[in-house]
Amino acid sequence: MESIWVTETSIRRRAPLSGDLQTEAVVIGAGMAGVLTAYYLQQAGIKTVVVEADRIGSGQTKNTTAKITFQHGLLYDRLIHTLGSRGAFAYYAANEDAIEAYEHLIREEGIDCDFVRCPACLYSQKEEAVLKWEVQAASSIGMAAVFEKESELPFPVAGVMKVDKQARFDPLKFLSAISEKVTVYERTKVLKVEEDQVLTDHGCVTARHVVFACHYPFINMPGYYFARMHQERSYVVALEGAERIEGMYLGIDRDGLSFRRQGETLLLGGGSHRTGRNEKGGQYAWLRDKAETFYPGSQVIRQWSAQDCMTLDGIPYIGRFSARKPDWYVATGFGKWGMTSSMVAAQILTALITEQRCPVAGVFSPQRRLTGEAVKELGIQSVYAVKGLMKHFLPAKQGRIVPNCPHMGCRLQWNPEEETYDCPCHGSRFDENGHLLDGPAQNNCRRR
Ligand code: FES
């Protein structure tokens, strides 16, 4: 089922590329990060085009819950320990600037997209001390965070960490308007990138600057992003008839839920798991059950799922694609915070390409040093990859397709809930006939 954003907005169709083209910058991917990057590059005087394999906003932008915030779970205490106070502050400042940038842009361009400032809260039903600790860490770098005992949620909480002046909006209404300001070629699939040549199925774009803003970079080397990220799926139900809440909430306990209002509809999210690890299904049923318990009498009007790229240290990879490709750039690994991170990416990449000073770029650099925690995470990812690859050689159940991933060969897992084949290694997904739904794979599965 499609998200509520899709049912409310239809974005104008664009023609595919027709033949070869020369420009200054080419962005691969017309989701929020790609379109915003193209917009700011264009504003800075860099001639830019966007190529998109499908439609504008047809990737993860249409599945987000569209919270715009610098409160990204229990993060700041950890960042202070791994990056120091300056690094943690840079992360916070970049995300705070992103909220301001959205507001400014929406006002400047006169975009009607239901943008509302509202508080963002982390809640726990048992961990008061952890929340207080996080409040203290956040406050130490200048964030106006407070601990409260009360919430708007329909169950008792041990505490809430609250930050004011965050925001929510309708992502597709925004994207529909802002994409009118840039040149996008839809249904134009990139087949290969070689230096300044982006070869598509409709012609070649030659550009000095190449930006990969396509959710998960599909080029394995250089960059090695496949070894540095995995993907997670999470689920949302949209409820009618639930009590109104003003703030956006995220639970930090195991099985914590996400709450956020859009008009009179409540978006209730949760059930996150590594892609390829939902053999039993039941995530929607679990969310519906929660909805019935907390909002009796409410009605589920839509349900959908999202797919997020998770980095080793929880910080997106935004910056130069690789030391070996100084004119290639990347924006990926946004975790569950795609909207804010998209704006951060657009700001950083524009600064790098136009050779402006960007004090926060180092924190997000894909070439940053691995922290101890990131090294541990790398070990975990490698175990998943080895297990997935070993299963490649095991006999598979009879079916229409060969259930091995065309990306690097891991054995695919059937996901009964969404009726897809999902890859536990790096998160590619395929429909029941083996057609590609999500990368990094670029091709369909082999048929028997
Ligand atoms: Fe990499 Fe499947 S996504 S092997």
Side-chain angles (χ1 to χ4, degrees), residues 152-169:
E152 305 167 275
L153 298 174
F155 45 77
V157 294
V160 163
M161 171 184 172
K162 180 177 173 188
V163 289
D164 280 322
K165 296 193 187 146
Q166 310 301 288
R168 57 179 195 254
F169 71 159

mmCIF file of all heavy atoms in Angstrom, residues 152-169:
data_model
loop_
_atom_site.group_PDB
_atom_site.id
_atom_site.type_symbol
_atom_site.label_atom_id
_atom_site.label_comp_id
_atom_site.label_asym_id
_atom_site.label_seq_id
_atom_site.Cartn_x
_atom_site.Cartn_y
_atom_site.Cartn_z
ATOM 1 N N GLU A 152 2.247 13.589 25.918
ATOM 2 C CA GLU A 152 0.891 13.542 25.337
ATOM 3 C C GLU A 152 0.522 12.109 24.952
ATOM 4 O O GLU A 152 -0.533 11.888 24.349
ATOM 5 C CB GLU A 152 0.851 14.378 24.054
ATOM 6 C CG GLU A 152 1.303 15.803 24.200
ATOM 7 C CD GLU A 152 1.519 16.431 22.820
ATOM 8 O OE1 GLU A 152 2.619 16.243 22.272
ATOM 9 O OE2 GLU A 152 0.601 17.064 22.299
ATOM 10 N N LEU A 153 1.398 11.157 25.252
ATOM 11 C CA LEU A 153 1.187 9.784 24.772
ATOM 12 C C LEU A 153 0.103 9.071 25.592
ATOM 13 O O LEU A 153 -0.095 9.400 26.766
ATOM 14 C CB LEU A 153 2.513 9.013 24.845
ATOM 15 C CG LEU A 153 3.612 9.594 23.952
ATOM 16 C CD1 LEU A 153 4.944 8.897 24.175
ATOM 17 C CD2 LEU A 153 3.199 9.492 22.475
ATOM 18 N N PRO A 154 -0.532 8.074 24.995
ATOM 19 C CA PRO A 154 -1.673 7.439 25.675
ATOM 20 C C PRO A 154 -1.251 6.344 26.652
ATOM 21 O O PRO A 154 -1.980 5.370 26.846
ATOM 22 C CB PRO A 154 -2.472 6.856 24.498
ATOM 23 C CG PRO A 154 -1.440 6.577 23.468
ATOM 24 C CD PRO A 154 -0.373 7.591 23.613
ATOM 25 N N PHE A 155 -0.082 6.439 27.237
ATOM 26 C CA PHE A 155 0.377 5.477 28.258
ATOM 27 C C PHE A 155 1.375 6.209 29.157
ATOM 28 O O PHE A 155 1.936 7.239 28.764
ATOM 29 C CB PHE A 155 1.019 4.236 27.609
ATOM 30 C CG PHE A 155 1.980 4.558 26.504
ATOM 31 C CD1 PHE A 155 3.268 5.030 26.767
ATOM 32 C CD2 PHE A 155 1.605 4.404 25.168
ATOM 33 C CE1 PHE A 155 4.153 5.327 25.745
ATOM 34 C CE2 PHE A 155 2.480 4.710 24.139
ATOM 35 C CZ PHE A 155 3.752 5.171 24.430
ATOM 36 N N PRO A 156 1.590 5.694 30.371
ATOM 37 C CA PRO A 156 2.519 6.376 31.274
ATOM 38 C C PRO A 156 3.959 6.262 30.779
ATOM 39 O O PRO A 156 4.331 5.257 30.152
ATOM 40 C CB PRO A 156 2.350 5.628 32.609
ATOM 41 C CG PRO A 156 1.551 4.423 32.317
ATOM 42 C CD PRO A 156 0.964 4.507 30.960
ATOM 43 N N VAL A 157 4.757 7.283 31.015
ATOM 44 C CA VAL A 157 6.180 7.243 30.628
ATOM 45 C C VAL A 157 7.037 7.498 31.859
ATOM 46 O O VAL A 157 6.589 8.137 32.816
ATOM 47 C CB VAL A 157 6.505 8.308 29.548
ATOM 48 C CG1 VAL A 157 5.798 8.007 28.243
ATOM 49 C CG2 VAL A 157 6.185 9.720 30.020
ATOM 50 N N ALA A 158 8.285 6.998 31.804
ATOM 51 C CA ALA A 158 9.236 7.278 32.893
ATOM 52 C C ALA A 158 9.805 8.684 32.719
ATOM 53 O O ALA A 158 10.243 9.318 33.674
ATOM 54 C CB ALA A 158 10.353 6.245 32.877
ATOM 55 N N GLY A 159 9.818 9.151 31.474
ATOM 56 C CA GLY A 159 10.327 10.495 31.218
ATOM 57 C C GLY A 159 10.383 10.791 29.738
ATOM 58 O O GLY A 159 10.191 9.896 28.889
ATOM 59 N N VAL A 160 10.635 12.058 29.458
ATOM 60 C CA VAL A 160 10.687 12.536 28.072
ATOM 61 C C VAL A 160 11.843 13.524 27.948
ATOM 62 O O VAL A 160 12.036 14.359 28.819
ATOM 63 C CB VAL A 160 9.353 13.251 27.721
ATOM 64 C CG1 VAL A 160 9.502 14.105 26.480
ATOM 65 C CG2 VAL A 160 8.227 12.258 27.542
ATOM 66 N N MET A 161 12.622 13.408 26.877
ATOM 67 C CA MET A 161 13.600 14.454 26.549
ATOM 68 C C MET A 161 12.984 15.276 25.427
ATOM 69 O O MET A 161 12.688 14.743 24.356
ATOM 70 C CB MET A 161 14.902 13.830 26.068
ATOM 71 C CG MET A 161 15.867 14.864 25.522
ATOM 72 S SD MET A 161 17.344 14.067 24.853
ATOM 73 C CE MET A 161 18.160 15.450 24.079
ATOM 74 N N LYS A 162 12.798 16.559 25.689
ATOM 75 C CA LYS A 162 12.061 17.379 24.726
ATOM 76 C C LYS A 162 12.930 18.500 24.166
ATOM 77 O O LYS A 162 13.654 19.161 24.919
ATOM 78 C CB LYS A 162 10.858 17.981 25.442
ATOM 79 C CG LYS A 162 9.978 18.864 24.606
ATOM 80 C CD LYS A 162 8.796 19.318 25.463
ATOM 81 C CE LYS A 162 7.954 20.340 24.743
ATOM 82 N NZ LYS A 162 6.945 20.917 25.616
ATOM 83 N N VAL A 163 12.882 18.687 22.860
ATOM 84 C CA VAL A 163 13.497 19.877 22.243
ATOM 85 C C VAL A 163 12.416 20.580 21.428
ATOM 86 O O VAL A 163 11.654 19.938 20.699
ATOM 87 C CB VAL A 163 14.722 19.545 21.347
ATOM 88 C CG1 VAL A 163 15.912 19.113 22.180
ATOM 89 C CG2 VAL A 163 14.411 18.485 20.315
ATOM 90 N N ASP A 164 12.347 21.885 21.557
ATOM 91 C CA ASP A 164 11.332 22.665 20.842
ATOM 92 C C ASP A 164 11.826 23.069 19.457
ATOM 93 O O ASP A 164 12.988 22.872 19.118
ATOM 94 C CB ASP A 164 10.984 23.920 21.656
ATOM 95 C CG ASP A 164 10.014 23.584 22.781
ATOM 96 O OD1 ASP A 164 9.127 22.744 22.561
ATOM 97 O OD2 ASP A 164 10.181 24.128 23.890
ATOM 98 N N LYS A 165 10.914 23.660 18.688
ATOM 99 C CA LYS A 165 11.223 24.275 17.389
ATOM 100 C C LYS A 165 11.798 23.311 16.361
ATOM 101 O O LYS A 165 12.697 23.675 15.600
ATOM 102 C CB LYS A 165 12.168 25.454 17.575
ATOM 103 C CG LYS A 165 11.547 26.583 18.389
ATOM 104 C CD LYS A 165 12.407 27.805 18.255
ATOM 105 C CE LYS A 165 11.930 28.897 19.181
ATOM 106 N NZ LYS A 165 12.975 29.719 19.703
ATOM 107 N N GLN A 166 11.335 22.061 16.395
ATOM 108 C CA GLN A 166 11.651 21.155 15.297
ATOM 109 C C GLN A 166 10.513 21.320 14.279
ATOM 110 O O GLN A 166 9.714 22.246 14.413
ATOM 111 C CB GLN A 166 11.771 19.727 15.831
ATOM 112 C CG GLN A 166 12.698 19.622 17.046
ATOM 113 C CD GLN A 166 14.114 20.095 16.762
ATOM 114 O OE1 GLN A 166 14.853 19.439 16.066
ATOM 115 N NE2 GLN A 166 14.505 21.250 17.287
ATOM 116 N N ALA A 167 10.405 20.425 13.317
ATOM 117 C CA ALA A 167 9.365 20.665 12.301
ATOM 118 C C ALA A 167 8.881 19.367 11.659
ATOM 119 O O ALA A 167 9.530 18.328 11.747
ATOM 120 C CB ALA A 167 9.914 21.599 11.224
ATOM 121 N N ARG A 168 7.730 19.461 11.018
ATOM 122 C CA ARG A 168 7.181 18.356 10.205
ATOM 123 C C ARG A 168 6.575 18.990 8.956
ATOM 124 O O ARG A 168 6.229 20.172 8.962
ATOM 125 C CB ARG A 168 6.149 17.562 10.994
ATOM 126 C CG ARG A 168 5.004 18.388 11.519
ATOM 127 C CD ARG A 168 4.002 17.523 12.289
ATOM 128 N NE ARG A 168 2.759 18.260 12.473
ATOM 129 C CZ ARG A 168 2.359 18.782 13.620
ATOM 130 N NH1 ARG A 168 3.097 18.650 14.713
ATOM 131 N NH2 ARG A 168 1.213 19.429 13.700
ATOM 132 N N PHE A 169 6.488 18.221 7.884
ATOM 133 C CA PHE A 169 5.876 18.736 6.655
ATOM 134 C C PHE A 169 5.402 17.589 5.791
ATOM 135 O O PHE A 169 5.552 16.422 6.149
ATOM 136 C CB PHE A 169 6.847 19.662 5.910
ATOM 137 C CG PHE A 169 8.046 19.000 5.232
ATOM 138 C CD1 PHE A 169 8.721 19.648 4.205
ATOM 139 C CD2 PHE A 169 8.507 17.753 5.610
ATOM 140 C CE1 PHE A 169 9.813 19.068 3.569
ATOM 141 C CE2 PHE A 169 9.612 17.160 4.990
ATOM 142 C CZ PHE A 169 10.257 17.821 3.974
#
